[in-house]
Amino acid sequence: MRFLFLAWLIHANATVCFPQSGGFTNEPSASITLVISNQPQFIDVRVTIDGRSFDEYWNAVFDELLAFADVDQSGIITDNEVHLLPSARAMRQVMGSGFTPPIASLKTISDIFDDDTKSCSRDDVVRYYRKNGVGRVHAGNGKLPHSDALADAFINALDGNNSSTLSRQELSLAESSLQKLDTNDDELISATELLPNQIYPGCAATSPMDVSANAVKNGDENTSHFVWNIVLDETVHGEATAGSAMARPNWEAWSVTGQLANSFDELTRRISEAKVDSPKDEPMMIEVPDKKRDERRDDFAWLVPMVDRDSNGHASPDEITQWLSLQGEIMDGQLLVSVLSGGGLFELLDQNHDAGLSTRELRNAWSILESSSCTIGDILDREKLHHRTLLIASRGYPTELRKTDPSKIEWFRSMDRNSDGDVSRREFLESTEHFSKLDQDQDGLISSSEASRFQR
């Protein structure tokens, strides 16, 4: 999988703005505007793939699409070649499928121009795709439905004096007080253990965000300006700095893997295992089957017109290899920004967003609340617990929200069975003496940094 680098520049409405196409530039790939507690927050999303800007990357993909379809290398696409181009609708489906499915296939050039034109140039095809939303950062929003109920359940479980809020003392007992809720004994207090019979997060970013051509200037005196750089390689790194004197907005943003790589790998595997009818001494070819044959098998007849560059009615190994390579480039350019609003106390305490409160997160609960200005003296002030907005960038739809920062130490990864970033004494498979040696601060948990120091 290619590495994906993202830079988020937070600077002012709930819309998405897309810049004009062009080469490498400092312009954002998309601009998202949120309104949090009546405060507009402007987010410029800047994406780099393989060292190229998002827009430059997609211009290269369009070039490769044209090269694949332009069989006679004339520089134009004719009626005889246009079937080799995926439709804009098929390109938009890649976000979910991992490849361009055989839908709304282009039959003639008129499917692009809506007139009697018989050929089109590279620029014509790019305009067709761009006009139909191809080569853009996708963005959608949703609302977390259970945040208030989760906050109530968490407080009720710890509120020993029935004050409807929590004190520093009550939170200090959370690790032991909540053990009875850990019904699956995984050393996590999950959202579903706090709130049984509910699904968490209970929403997805399925509502498309509005697209606007109007950008808001960074210098607007009513807006905050923030820069947040995210790098996704083997681990996720993030750093935020304020570009104005205004308070930091109540949001978090991070990257997760998404599902597209698995979908594409599965397609490649299925094609490689497809049954074919060529004689054993001839190269493998997929061909349109006789309708009288068993139609239940996966013969990939739909693939033939999409890859048959020499128009012989077959999909040769070379044609399939070229098509799969192109599909991989298209897949790598898919980026979804999921904006989930309405987060509350649970989302604030669940620092890695794995849908469970770990031992360390419970121990740090008061310091998290205090640093978020949600306390008065030694008491939680729920009035200051404003709803949080979560922004998750992923290649394809995210399968989970968990922030991924896996340890490079194999034994640590294998022992951390609940993936909370720590190895507890129960998870540790060696002796108590060995555990104590690794647990340098003697807090009953081996952190990844403690494991790394011992590894060296």
PDB file of all heavy atoms in Angstrom, residues 54-89:
ATOM      1  N   PHE A  54      -2.531  15.926  -4.159  1.00  0.00           N
ATOM      2  CA  PHE A  54      -3.697  15.133  -4.535  1.00  0.00           C
ATOM      3  C   PHE A  54      -4.103  15.424  -5.970  1.00  0.00           C
ATOM      4  O   PHE A  54      -4.392  14.515  -6.760  1.00  0.00           O
ATOM      5  CB  PHE A  54      -4.846  15.451  -3.580  1.00  0.00           C
ATOM      6  CG  PHE A  54      -6.033  14.543  -3.700  1.00  0.00           C
ATOM      7  CD1 PHE A  54      -6.037  13.285  -3.118  1.00  0.00           C
ATOM      8  CD2 PHE A  54      -7.173  14.937  -4.392  1.00  0.00           C
ATOM      9  CE1 PHE A  54      -7.128  12.442  -3.219  1.00  0.00           C
ATOM     10  CE2 PHE A  54      -8.280  14.103  -4.497  1.00  0.00           C
ATOM     11  CZ  PHE A  54      -8.252  12.854  -3.903  1.00  0.00           C
ATOM     12  N   ASP A  55      -4.117  16.695  -6.355  1.00  0.00           N
ATOM     13  CA  ASP A  55      -4.540  17.079  -7.700  1.00  0.00           C
ATOM     14  C   ASP A  55      -3.549  16.590  -8.747  1.00  0.00           C
ATOM     15  O   ASP A  55      -3.933  16.091  -9.808  1.00  0.00           O
ATOM     16  CB  ASP A  55      -4.686  18.601  -7.764  1.00  0.00           C
ATOM     17  CG  ASP A  55      -5.534  19.047  -8.946  1.00  0.00           C
ATOM     18  OD1 ASP A  55      -6.654  18.520  -9.099  1.00  0.00           O
ATOM     19  OD2 ASP A  55      -5.079  19.909  -9.709  1.00  0.00           O
ATOM     20  N   GLU A  56      -2.255  16.712  -8.446  1.00  0.00           N
ATOM     21  CA  GLU A  56      -1.236  16.233  -9.371  1.00  0.00           C
ATOM     22  C   GLU A  56      -1.333  14.718  -9.530  1.00  0.00           C
ATOM     23  O   GLU A  56      -1.169  14.187 -10.642  1.00  0.00           O
ATOM     24  CB  GLU A  56       0.148  16.636  -8.869  1.00  0.00           C
ATOM     25  CG  GLU A  56       1.274  16.278  -9.829  1.00  0.00           C
ATOM     26  CD  GLU A  56       2.639  16.573  -9.246  1.00  0.00           C
ATOM     27  OE1 GLU A  56       2.825  16.374  -8.030  1.00  0.00           O
ATOM     28  OE2 GLU A  56       3.531  16.991 -10.009  1.00  0.00           O
ATOM     29  N   TYR A  57      -1.580  14.027  -8.426  1.00  0.00           N
ATOM     30  CA  TYR A  57      -1.721  12.573  -8.485  1.00  0.00           C
ATOM     31  C   TYR A  57      -2.860  12.187  -9.428  1.00  0.00           C
ATOM     32  O   TYR A  57      -2.707  11.308 -10.277  1.00  0.00           O
ATOM     33  CB  TYR A  57      -1.983  12.007  -7.093  1.00  0.00           C
ATOM     34  CG  TYR A  57      -2.148  10.502  -7.073  1.00  0.00           C
ATOM     35  CD1 TYR A  57      -1.049   9.676  -6.943  1.00  0.00           C
ATOM     36  CD2 TYR A  57      -3.410   9.921  -7.213  1.00  0.00           C
ATOM     37  CE1 TYR A  57      -1.181   8.299  -6.945  1.00  0.00           C
ATOM     38  CE2 TYR A  57      -3.561   8.539  -7.223  1.00  0.00           C
ATOM     39  CZ  TYR A  57      -2.448   7.734  -7.086  1.00  0.00           C
ATOM     40  OH  TYR A  57      -2.591   6.372  -7.109  1.00  0.00           O
ATOM     41  N   TRP A  58      -4.011  12.865  -9.281  1.00  0.00           N
ATOM     42  CA  TRP A  58      -5.159  12.510 -10.114  1.00  0.00           C
ATOM     43  C   TRP A  58      -4.955  12.894 -11.583  1.00  0.00           C
ATOM     44  O   TRP A  58      -5.437  12.205 -12.480  1.00  0.00           O
ATOM     45  CB  TRP A  58      -6.436  13.115  -9.543  1.00  0.00           C
ATOM     46  CG  TRP A  58      -7.080  12.158  -8.598  1.00  0.00           C
ATOM     47  CD1 TRP A  58      -7.010  12.147  -7.240  1.00  0.00           C
ATOM     48  CD2 TRP A  58      -7.861  11.015  -8.968  1.00  0.00           C
ATOM     49  NE1 TRP A  58      -7.698  11.074  -6.726  1.00  0.00           N
ATOM     50  CE2 TRP A  58      -8.235  10.361  -7.760  1.00  0.00           C
ATOM     51  CE3 TRP A  58      -8.284  10.471 -10.173  1.00  0.00           C
ATOM     52  CZ2 TRP A  58      -9.013   9.198  -7.750  1.00  0.00           C
ATOM     53  CZ3 TRP A  58      -9.056   9.309 -10.165  1.00  0.00           C
ATOM     54  CH2 TRP A  58      -9.405   8.685  -8.964  1.00  0.00           C
ATOM     55  N   ASN A  59      -4.213  13.958 -11.853  1.00  0.00           N
ATOM     56  CA  ASN A  59      -3.890  14.264 -13.243  1.00  0.00           C
ATOM     57  C   ASN A  59      -3.084  13.136 -13.869  1.00  0.00           C
ATOM     58  O   ASN A  59      -3.265  12.789 -15.041  1.00  0.00           O
ATOM     59  CB  ASN A  59      -3.114  15.580 -13.322  1.00  0.00           C
ATOM     60  CG  ASN A  59      -4.019  16.796 -13.199  1.00  0.00           C
ATOM     61  OD1 ASN A  59      -5.192  16.738 -13.565  1.00  0.00           O
ATOM     62  ND2 ASN A  59      -3.485  17.883 -12.677  1.00  0.00           N
ATOM     63  N   ALA A  60      -2.180  12.540 -13.084  1.00  0.00           N
ATOM     64  CA  ALA A  60      -1.403  11.401 -13.580  1.00  0.00           C
ATOM     65  C   ALA A  60      -2.297  10.186 -13.814  1.00  0.00           C
ATOM     66  O   ALA A  60      -2.114   9.440 -14.782  1.00  0.00           O
ATOM     67  CB  ALA A  60      -0.280  11.067 -12.596  1.00  0.00           C
ATOM     68  N   VAL A  61      -3.281   9.958 -12.907  1.00  0.00           N
ATOM     69  CA  VAL A  61      -4.214   8.842 -13.086  1.00  0.00           C
ATOM     70  C   VAL A  61      -5.022   9.035 -14.371  1.00  0.00           C
ATOM     71  O   VAL A  61      -5.223   8.087 -15.146  1.00  0.00           O
ATOM     72  CB  VAL A  61      -5.162   8.713 -11.877  1.00  0.00           C
ATOM     73  CG1 VAL A  61      -6.275   7.699 -12.160  1.00  0.00           C
ATOM     74  CG2 VAL A  61      -4.380   8.285 -10.637  1.00  0.00           C
ATOM     75  N   PHE A  62      -5.479  10.262 -14.615  1.00  0.00           N
ATOM     76  CA  PHE A  62      -6.232  10.529 -15.852  1.00  0.00           C
ATOM     77  C   PHE A  62      -5.363  10.252 -17.069  1.00  0.00           C
ATOM     78  O   PHE A  62      -5.839   9.705 -18.082  1.00  0.00           O
ATOM     79  CB  PHE A  62      -6.728  11.972 -15.870  1.00  0.00           C
ATOM     80  CG  PHE A  62      -7.786  12.269 -14.835  1.00  0.00           C
ATOM     81  CD1 PHE A  62      -7.799  13.477 -14.157  1.00  0.00           C
ATOM     82  CD2 PHE A  62      -8.767  11.337 -14.530  1.00  0.00           C
ATOM     83  CE1 PHE A  62      -8.766  13.755 -13.203  1.00  0.00           C
ATOM     84  CE2 PHE A  62      -9.739  11.591 -13.572  1.00  0.00           C
ATOM     85  CZ  PHE A  62      -9.743  12.811 -12.906  1.00  0.00           C
ATOM     86  N   ASP A  63      -4.077  10.599 -16.995  1.00  0.00           N
ATOM     87  CA  ASP A  63      -3.164  10.306 -18.106  1.00  0.00           C
ATOM     88  C   ASP A  63      -3.067   8.799 -18.344  1.00  0.00           C
ATOM     89  O   ASP A  63      -3.051   8.338 -19.499  1.00  0.00           O
ATOM     90  CB  ASP A  63      -1.777  10.870 -17.818  1.00  0.00           C
ATOM     91  CG  ASP A  63      -1.718  12.384 -17.950  1.00  0.00           C
ATOM     92  OD1 ASP A  63      -2.608  12.960 -18.616  1.00  0.00           O
ATOM     93  OD2 ASP A  63      -0.796  12.991 -17.372  1.00  0.00           O
ATOM     94  N   GLU A  64      -2.999   8.026 -17.263  1.00  0.00           N
ATOM     95  CA  GLU A  64      -2.890   6.573 -17.404  1.00  0.00           C
ATOM     96  C   GLU A  64      -4.184   5.970 -17.940  1.00  0.00           C
ATOM     97  O   GLU A  64      -4.152   4.995 -18.702  1.00  0.00           O
ATOM     98  CB  GLU A  64      -2.510   5.959 -16.061  1.00  0.00           C
ATOM     99  CG  GLU A  64      -1.099   6.322 -15.612  1.00  0.00           C
ATOM    100  CD  GLU A  64      -0.711   5.665 -14.295  1.00  0.00           C
ATOM    101  OE1 GLU A  64      -1.147   4.531 -14.058  1.00  0.00           O
ATOM    102  OE2 GLU A  64       0.013   6.301 -13.509  1.00  0.00           O
ATOM    103  N   LEU A  65      -5.319   6.523 -17.529  1.00  0.00           N
ATOM    104  CA  LEU A  65      -6.601   6.071 -18.089  1.00  0.00           C
ATOM    105  C   LEU A  65      -6.642   6.288 -19.598  1.00  0.00           C
ATOM    106  O   LEU A  65      -7.067   5.414 -20.359  1.00  0.00           O
ATOM    107  CB  LEU A  65      -7.751   6.825 -17.422  1.00  0.00           C
ATOM    108  CG  LEU A  65      -8.248   6.316 -16.078  1.00  0.00           C
ATOM    109  CD1 LEU A  65      -9.137   7.357 -15.406  1.00  0.00           C
ATOM    110  CD2 LEU A  65      -9.013   5.005 -16.228  1.00  0.00           C
ATOM    111  N   LEU A  66      -6.192   7.476 -20.020  1.00  0.00           N
ATOM    112  CA  LEU A  66      -6.181   7.783 -21.455  1.00  0.00           C
ATOM    113  C   LEU A  66      -5.214   6.883 -22.207  1.00  0.00           C
ATOM    114  O   LEU A  66      -5.526   6.410 -23.307  1.00  0.00           O
ATOM    115  CB  LEU A  66      -5.817   9.245 -21.675  1.00  0.00           C
ATOM    116  CG  LEU A  66      -6.957  10.246 -21.771  1.00  0.00           C
ATOM    117  CD1 LEU A  66      -7.770  10.007 -23.039  1.00  0.00           C
ATOM    118  CD2 LEU A  66      -7.873  10.175 -20.560  1.00  0.00           C
ATOM    119  N   ALA A  67      -4.036   6.626 -21.629  1.00  0.00           N
ATOM    120  CA  ALA A  67      -3.047   5.768 -22.289  1.00  0.00           C
ATOM    121  C   ALA A  67      -3.584   4.354 -22.457  1.00  0.00           C
ATOM    122  O   ALA A  67      -3.332   3.693 -23.476  1.00  0.00           O
ATOM    123  CB  ALA A  67      -1.750   5.762 -21.490  1.00  0.00           C
ATOM    124  N   PHE A  68      -4.344   3.866 -21.469  1.00  0.00           N
ATOM    125  CA  PHE A  68      -4.913   2.523 -21.551  1.00  0.00           C
ATOM    126  C   PHE A  68      -5.968   2.441 -22.650  1.00  0.00           C
ATOM    127  O   PHE A  68      -6.027   1.462 -23.411  1.00  0.00           O
ATOM    128  CB  PHE A  68      -5.526   2.145 -20.207  1.00  0.00           C
ATOM    129  CG  PHE A  68      -6.130   0.767 -20.158  1.00  0.00           C
ATOM    130  CD1 PHE A  68      -5.329  -0.350 -20.001  1.00  0.00           C
ATOM    131  CD2 PHE A  68      -7.503   0.589 -20.285  1.00  0.00           C
ATOM    132  CE1 PHE A  68      -5.876  -1.634 -19.971  1.00  0.00           C
ATOM    133  CE2 PHE A  68      -8.060  -0.683 -20.252  1.00  0.00           C
ATOM    134  CZ  PHE A  68      -7.245  -1.794 -20.091  1.00  0.00           C
ATOM    135  N   ALA A  69      -6.809   3.476 -22.753  1.00  0.00           N
ATOM    136  CA  ALA A  69      -7.907   3.450 -23.722  1.00  0.00           C
ATOM    137  C   ALA A  69      -7.460   3.826 -25.130  1.00  0.00           C
ATOM    138  O   ALA A  69      -8.038   3.365 -26.122  1.00  0.00           O
ATOM    139  CB  ALA A  69      -9.021   4.389 -23.268  1.00  0.00           C
ATOM    140  N   ASP A  70      -6.418   4.631 -25.244  1.00  0.00           N
ATOM    141  CA  ASP A  70      -5.946   5.108 -26.550  1.00  0.00           C
ATOM    142  C   ASP A  70      -5.076   4.040 -27.194  1.00  0.00           C
ATOM    143  O   ASP A  70      -3.848   4.161 -27.260  1.00  0.00           O
ATOM    144  CB  ASP A  70      -5.180   6.420 -26.357  1.00  0.00           C
ATOM    145  CG  ASP A  70      -4.741   7.041 -27.674  1.00  0.00           C
ATOM    146  OD1 ASP A  70      -5.292   6.649 -28.732  1.00  0.00           O
ATOM    147  OD2 ASP A  70      -3.850   7.918 -27.649  1.00  0.00           O
ATOM    148  N   VAL A  71      -5.710   3.004 -27.716  1.00  0.00           N
ATOM    149  CA  VAL A  71      -4.995   1.828 -28.219  1.00  0.00           C
ATOM    150  C   VAL A  71      -4.082   2.187 -29.384  1.00  0.00           C
ATOM    151  O   VAL A  71      -2.950   1.701 -29.488  1.00  0.00           O
ATOM    152  CB  VAL A  71      -5.989   0.731 -28.638  1.00  0.00           C
ATOM    153  CG1 VAL A  71      -5.246  -0.473 -29.225  1.00  0.00           C
ATOM    154  CG2 VAL A  71      -6.837   0.306 -27.455  1.00  0.00           C
ATOM    155  N   ASP A  72      -4.535   3.053 -30.293  1.00  0.00           N
ATOM    156  CA  ASP A  72      -3.724   3.394 -31.467  1.00  0.00           C
ATOM    157  C   ASP A  72      -2.764   4.551 -31.206  1.00  0.00           C
ATOM    158  O   ASP A  72      -2.074   5.013 -32.115  1.00  0.00           O
ATOM    159  CB  ASP A  72      -4.611   3.722 -32.666  1.00  0.00           C
ATOM    160  CG  ASP A  72      -5.528   4.922 -32.408  1.00  0.00           C
ATOM    161  OD1 ASP A  72      -5.369   5.578 -31.360  1.00  0.00           O
ATOM    162  OD2 ASP A  72      -6.407   5.186 -33.251  1.00  0.00           O
ATOM    163  N   GLN A  73      -2.723   5.025 -29.966  1.00  0.00           N
ATOM    164  CA  GLN A  73      -1.796   6.075 -29.548  1.00  0.00           C
ATOM    165  C   GLN A  73      -1.904   7.329 -30.420  1.00  0.00           C
ATOM    166  O   GLN A  73      -0.915   7.987 -30.731  1.00  0.00           O
ATOM    167  CB  GLN A  73      -0.356   5.562 -29.554  1.00  0.00           C
ATOM    168  CG  GLN A  73      -0.136   4.389 -28.611  1.00  0.00           C
ATOM    169  CD  GLN A  73       1.301   3.917 -28.579  1.00  0.00           C
ATOM    170  OE1 GLN A  73       2.122   4.285 -29.408  1.00  0.00           O
ATOM    171  NE2 GLN A  73       1.620   3.074 -27.617  1.00  0.00           N
ATOM    172  N   SER A  74      -3.134   7.666 -30.762  1.00  0.00           N
ATOM    173  CA  SER A  74      -3.366   8.838 -31.605  1.00  0.00           C
ATOM    174  C   SER A  74      -3.536  10.119 -30.799  1.00  0.00           C
ATOM    175  O   SER A  74      -3.577  11.208 -31.371  1.00  0.00           O
ATOM    176  CB  SER A  74      -4.622   8.621 -32.460  1.00  0.00           C
ATOM    177  OG  SER A  74      -5.783   8.496 -31.620  1.00  0.00           O
ATOM    178  N   GLY A  75      -3.688   9.991 -29.488  1.00  0.00           N
ATOM    179  CA  GLY A  75      -3.904  11.159 -28.657  1.00  0.00           C
ATOM    180  C   GLY A  75      -5.362  11.536 -28.509  1.00  0.00           C
ATOM    181  O   GLY A  75      -5.683  12.492 -27.798  1.00  0.00           O
ATOM    182  N   ILE A  76      -6.254  10.788 -29.157  1.00  0.00           N
ATOM    183  CA  ILE A  76      -7.690  11.010 -29.017  1.00  0.00           C
ATOM    184  C   ILE A  76      -8.376   9.671 -28.768  1.00  0.00           C
ATOM    185  O   ILE A  76      -7.832   8.608 -29.086  1.00  0.00           O
ATOM    186  CB  ILE A  76      -8.310  11.686 -30.267  1.00  0.00           C
ATOM    187  CG1 ILE A  76      -8.119  10.801 -31.512  1.00  0.00           C
ATOM    188  CG2 ILE A  76      -7.739  13.072 -30.479  1.00  0.00           C
ATOM    189  CD1 ILE A  76      -8.847  11.316 -32.737  1.00  0.00           C
ATOM    190  N   ILE A  77      -9.555   9.736 -28.173  1.00  0.00           N
ATOM    191  CA  ILE A  77     -10.354   8.541 -27.916  1.00  0.00           C
ATOM    192  C   ILE A  77     -11.506   8.509 -28.910  1.00  0.00           C
ATOM    193  O   ILE A  77     -12.237   9.499 -29.065  1.00  0.00           O
ATOM    194  CB  ILE A  77     -10.899   8.538 -26.478  1.00  0.00           C
ATOM    195  CG1 ILE A  77      -9.750   8.622 -25.467  1.00  0.00           C
ATOM    196  CG2 ILE A  77     -11.737   7.284 -26.208  1.00  0.00           C
ATOM    197  CD1 ILE A  77      -8.773   7.480 -25.523  1.00  0.00           C
ATOM    198  N   THR A  78     -11.672   7.374 -29.582  1.00  0.00           N
ATOM    199  CA  THR A  78     -12.727   7.224 -30.583  1.00  0.00           C
ATOM    200  C   THR A  78     -13.842   6.335 -30.055  1.00  0.00           C
ATOM    201  O   THR A  78     -13.743   5.752 -28.966  1.00  0.00           O
ATOM    202  CB  THR A  78     -12.154   6.600 -31.865  1.00  0.00           C
ATOM    203  OG1 THR A  78     -11.722   5.256 -31.571  1.00  0.00           O
ATOM    204  CG2 THR A  78     -10.972   7.406 -32.387  1.00  0.00           C
ATOM    205  N   ASP A  79     -14.912   6.215 -30.863  1.00  0.00           N
ATOM    206  CA  ASP A  79     -16.022   5.337 -30.483  1.00  0.00           C
ATOM    207  C   ASP A  79     -15.569   3.902 -30.280  1.00  0.00           C
ATOM    208  O   ASP A  79     -16.151   3.159 -29.477  1.00  0.00           O
ATOM    209  CB  ASP A  79     -17.110   5.372 -31.570  1.00  0.00           C
ATOM    210  CG  ASP A  79     -18.117   6.499 -31.343  1.00  0.00           C
ATOM    211  OD1 ASP A  79     -18.169   7.018 -30.214  1.00  0.00           O
ATOM    212  OD2 ASP A  79     -18.838   6.851 -32.284  1.00  0.00           O
ATOM    213  N   ASN A  80     -14.533   3.503 -31.004  1.00  0.00           N
ATOM    214  CA  ASN A  80     -14.050   2.124 -30.890  1.00  0.00           C
ATOM    215  C   ASN A  80     -13.215   1.893 -29.624  1.00  0.00           C
ATOM    216  O   ASN A  80     -12.937   0.750 -29.274  1.00  0.00           O
ATOM    217  CB  ASN A  80     -13.199   1.760 -32.116  1.00  0.00           C
ATOM    218  CG  ASN A  80     -14.025   1.700 -33.390  1.00  0.00           C
ATOM    219  OD1 ASN A  80     -15.217   1.370 -33.356  1.00  0.00           O
ATOM    220  ND2 ASN A  80     -13.400   2.029 -34.515  1.00  0.00           N
ATOM    221  N   GLU A  81     -12.808   2.985 -28.960  1.00  0.00           N
ATOM    222  CA  GLU A  81     -11.949   2.855 -27.784  1.00  0.00           C
ATOM    223  C   GLU A  81     -12.632   3.260 -26.483  1.00  0.00           C
ATOM    224  O   GLU A  81     -12.184   2.895 -25.399  1.00  0.00           O
ATOM    225  CB  GLU A  81     -10.698   3.742 -27.966  1.00  0.00           C
ATOM    226  CG  GLU A  81      -9.817   3.345 -29.126  1.00  0.00           C
ATOM    227  CD  GLU A  81      -8.757   4.385 -29.437  1.00  0.00           C
ATOM    228  OE1 GLU A  81      -9.052   5.593 -29.269  1.00  0.00           O
ATOM    229  OE2 GLU A  81      -7.642   4.001 -29.857  1.00  0.00           O
ATOM    230  N   VAL A  82     -13.739   3.995 -26.588  1.00  0.00           N
ATOM    231  CA  VAL A  82     -14.317   4.607 -25.397  1.00  0.00           C
ATOM    232  C   VAL A  82     -14.792   3.582 -24.370  1.00  0.00           C
ATOM    233  O   VAL A  82     -14.844   3.863 -23.166  1.00  0.00           O
ATOM    234  CB  VAL A  82     -15.476   5.562 -25.785  1.00  0.00           C
ATOM    235  CG1 VAL A  82     -16.701   4.768 -26.248  1.00  0.00           C
ATOM    236  CG2 VAL A  82     -15.814   6.498 -24.637  1.00  0.00           C
ATOM    237  N   HIS A  83     -15.083   2.345 -24.811  1.00  0.00           N
ATOM    238  CA  HIS A  83     -15.541   1.322 -23.867  1.00  0.00           C
ATOM    239  C   HIS A  83     -14.460   0.933 -22.863  1.00  0.00           C
ATOM    240  O   HIS A  83     -14.757   0.329 -21.822  1.00  0.00           O
ATOM    241  CB  HIS A  83     -16.008   0.067 -24.627  1.00  0.00           C
ATOM    242  CG  HIS A  83     -14.898  -0.673 -25.318  1.00  0.00           C
ATOM    243  ND1 HIS A  83     -14.389  -0.294 -26.533  1.00  0.00           N
ATOM    244  CD2 HIS A  83     -14.185  -1.774 -24.941  1.00  0.00           C
ATOM    245  CE1 HIS A  83     -13.425  -1.117 -26.898  1.00  0.00           C
ATOM    246  NE2 HIS A  83     -13.282  -2.023 -25.943  1.00  0.00           N
ATOM    247  N   LEU A  84     -13.200   1.291 -23.170  1.00  0.00           N
ATOM    248  CA  LEU A  84     -12.106   0.977 -22.267  1.00  0.00           C
ATOM    249  C   LEU A  84     -11.985   1.989 -21.129  1.00  0.00           C
ATOM    250  O   LEU A  84     -11.219   1.764 -20.183  1.00  0.00           O
ATOM    251  CB  LEU A  84     -10.786   0.928 -23.047  1.00  0.00           C
ATOM    252  CG  LEU A  84     -10.685  -0.201 -24.088  1.00  0.00           C
ATOM    253  CD1 LEU A  84      -9.456  -0.013 -24.960  1.00  0.00           C
ATOM    254  CD2 LEU A  84     -10.660  -1.568 -23.408  1.00  0.00           C
ATOM    255  N   LEU A  85     -12.722   3.087 -21.219  1.00  0.00           N
ATOM    256  CA  LEU A  85     -12.748   4.068 -20.134  1.00  0.00           C
ATOM    257  C   LEU A  85     -13.888   3.741 -19.178  1.00  0.00           C
ATOM    258  O   LEU A  85     -15.024   3.546 -19.618  1.00  0.00           O
ATOM    259  CB  LEU A  85     -12.965   5.486 -20.691  1.00  0.00           C
ATOM    260  CG  LEU A  85     -11.829   6.142 -21.444  1.00  0.00           C
ATOM    261  CD1 LEU A  85     -12.303   7.470 -22.041  1.00  0.00           C
ATOM    262  CD2 LEU A  85     -10.627   6.360 -20.536  1.00  0.00           C
ATOM    263  N   PRO A  86     -13.637   3.684 -17.891  1.00  0.00           N
ATOM    264  CA  PRO A  86     -14.744   3.495 -16.941  1.00  0.00           C
ATOM    265  C   PRO A  86     -15.606   4.756 -16.904  1.00  0.00           C
ATOM    266  O   PRO A  86     -15.097   5.873 -17.065  1.00  0.00           O
ATOM    267  CB  PRO A  86     -14.037   3.271 -15.599  1.00  0.00           C
ATOM    268  CG  PRO A  86     -12.701   3.919 -15.756  1.00  0.00           C
ATOM    269  CD  PRO A  86     -12.335   3.783 -17.205  1.00  0.00           C
ATOM    270  N   SER A  87     -16.891   4.577 -16.728  1.00  0.00           N
ATOM    271  CA  SER A  87     -17.772   5.733 -16.626  1.00  0.00           C
ATOM    272  C   SER A  87     -17.495   6.490 -15.336  1.00  0.00           C
ATOM    273  O   SER A  87     -16.901   5.956 -14.388  1.00  0.00           O
ATOM    274  CB  SER A  87     -19.236   5.287 -16.662  1.00  0.00           C
ATOM    275  OG  SER A  87     -19.557   4.546 -15.485  1.00  0.00           O
ATOM    276  N   ALA A  88     -17.923   7.748 -15.299  1.00  0.00           N
ATOM    277  CA  ALA A  88     -17.754   8.529 -14.074  1.00  0.00           C
ATOM    278  C   ALA A  88     -18.496   7.875 -12.914  1.00  0.00           C
ATOM    279  O   ALA A  88     -18.023   7.885 -11.775  1.00  0.00           O
ATOM    280  CB  ALA A  88     -18.259   9.957 -14.296  1.00  0.00           C
ATOM    281  N   ARG A  89     -19.648   7.292 -13.200  1.00  0.00           N
ATOM    282  CA  ARG A  89     -20.410   6.610 -12.144  1.00  0.00           C
ATOM    283  C   ARG A  89     -19.619   5.431 -11.594  1.00  0.00           C
ATOM    284  O   ARG A  89     -19.567   5.215 -10.376  1.00  0.00           O
ATOM    285  CB  ARG A  89     -21.753   6.142 -12.690  1.00  0.00           C
ATOM    286  CG  ARG A  89     -22.630   5.459 -11.655  1.00  0.00           C
ATOM    287  CD  ARG A  89     -23.941   5.016 -12.264  1.00  0.00           C
ATOM    288  NE  ARG A  89     -24.703   4.164 -11.354  1.00  0.00           N
ATOM    289  CZ  ARG A  89     -25.798   3.503 -11.704  1.00  0.00           C
ATOM    290  NH1 ARG A  89     -26.278   3.614 -12.931  1.00  0.00           N
ATOM    291  NH2 ARG A  89     -26.419   2.731 -10.831  1.00  0.00           N
TER     292      ARG A  89
END
